[in-house]
Amino acid sequence: MASKIPVLEIFGPTIQGEGRVIGRKTMFVRTAGCDYRCSWCDSAFTWDGSAKDDIQLMTAEDIYHQLREVGGDQFDHVTISGGNPALIKGIQDLVDLFEEKNIYTALETQGSKFQPWMTQINDLTISPKPPSSNMKPNLEILDSVIEQCVQDSLNLKVVIFNDDDYEFAKMIHHRYPHLPFYLQVGNPYLDDSVANHTEKLLARYESLVDTVMQSSDMNHVYVLPQLHTLLWSNKKGV
């Protein structure tokens, strides 16, 4: 019997806004459920119960057909997003199907859980959550997850809201110096009524760039904005 995956959204094509695949044309499959409760989560509807009526239990074939209905033939890359999709064992069927259809895959997860299908992901971003999230990563579990993944597909990303986050990012970077490392400015402006959203985010990005430029501990890193928030603010489905 085919595994069912709890899906909240399927949308695109759009661009990937974060990490190593920033700017990549992609479709999104957003799953429900997360083992974290980050204070600044921009997708809290995946775990806070507010969108529970929108969850569809779908097989891999169901998801593939809906991707084609929505995106036609205008994509060859799918981002599996959440919540935390690494909680869902049944995504194995979906990843196998994507391989069969020659579709590239991306996943972002906080590194709290490993699934064997993660070794088949083309662009695997592990994003340990910094102090501002009010979550405390288990570094031994993180070590284990990273060790089990395919190193060539892996990159690390830490979102930065404040100085404590920056120190945390420094620690993570030097714990895994062999992995490509991305710093990304956080978006504290989740209220749609915030004026001059893009300008505020760009100012925060410039400040993070300035900090990294003056740090000898961060010579081998990439500093990114959240590209989708600059374009579309907090709009869903893009």
Side-chain angles (χ1 to χ4, degrees):
M1 186 176 174
S3 296
K4 296 288 184 77
I5 299 166
V7 176
L8 271 169
E9 296 182 295
I10 292 177
F11 62 91
T14 183
I15 56 163
Q16 173 58 250
E18 308 191 6
R20 182 164 69 183
V21 282
I22 192 166
R24 176 65 156 100
K25 185 180 182 183
T26 191
M27 296 289 290
F28 273 84
V29 175
R30 187 184 299 281
T31 61
C34 193
D35 49 334
Y36 275 22
R37 299 290 183 266
C38 295
S39 61
W40 36 250
C41 180
D42 60 1
S43 306
F45 63 93
T46 61
W47 50 260
D48 67 5
S50 63
K52 64 180 185 298
D53 294 338
D54 298 328
I55 298 171
Q56 298 181 68
L57 293 176
M58 304 176 74
T59 65
E61 289 285 350
D62 294 336
I63 292 170
Y64 178 74
H65 288 311
Q66 190 162 331
L67 282 164
R68 285 297 176 200
E69 280 182 22
V70 175
D73 62 355
Q74 297 168 352
F75 70 94
D76 69 354
H77 187 281
V78 175
T79 299
I80 303 169
S81 184
N84 183 12
L87 300 176
I88 305 170
K89 188 177 180 181
I91 288 177
Q92 181 69 64
D93 291 346
L94 185 62
V95 172
D96 289 342
L97 183 58
F98 286 156
E99 282 193 348
E100 181 188 316
K101 302 291 186 183
N102 295 314
I103 291 173
Y104 299 94
T105 51
L107 171 78
E108 180 173 320
T109 177
Q110 58 262 46
S112 60
K113 177 81 173 171
F114 175 77
Q115 298 286 356
W117 56 258
M118 287 163 60
T119 63
Q120 295 167 255
I121 297 292
N122 298 107
D123 295 301
L124 176 58
T125 298
I126 292 184
S127 182
K129 302 311 177 193
S132 63
S133 69
N134 294 330
M135 297 290 109
K136 189 171 176 57
N138 182 317
L139 295 181
E140 289 183 6
I141 291 176
L142 183 61
D143 289 344
S144 173
V145 170
I146 286 174
E147 191 176 316
Q148 294 176 82
C149 291
V150 177
Q151 301 302 295
D152 286 349
S153 70
L154 260 181
N155 69 100
L156 291 172
K157 187 193 83 179
V158 174
V159 177
I160 307 295
F161 283 85
N162 57 38
D163 292 343
D164 288 342
D165 291 355
Y166 188 74
E167 291 304 312
F168 172 83
K170 202 182 294 184
M171 180 273 291
I172 292 289
H173 177 41
H174 290 283
R175 190 177 181 92
Y176 313 102
H178 63 292
L179 293 175
F181 191 79
Y182 294 79
L183 291 170
Q184 190 151 310
V185 70
N187 173 21
Y189 311 118
L190 300 181
D191 184 345
D192 289 332
S193 67
V194 172
N196 304 314
H197 188 256
T198 297
E199 289 82 353
K200 285 186 168 74
L201 285 175
L202 282 172
R204 291 177 66 86
Y205 177 49
E206 184 175 10
S207 175
L208 179 58
V209 168
D210 288 344
T211 300
V212 174
M213 295 311 111
Q214 296 167 35
S215 173
S216 61
D217 292 313
M218 291 293 211
N219 288 348
H220 196 176
V221 301
Y222 303 80
V223 190
L224 297 178
Q226 278 189 313
L227 194 55
H228 56 292
T229 60
L230 295 183
L231 287 169
W232 298 300
S233 189
N234 297 312
K235 187 178 178 184
K236 282 176 60 179
V238 290

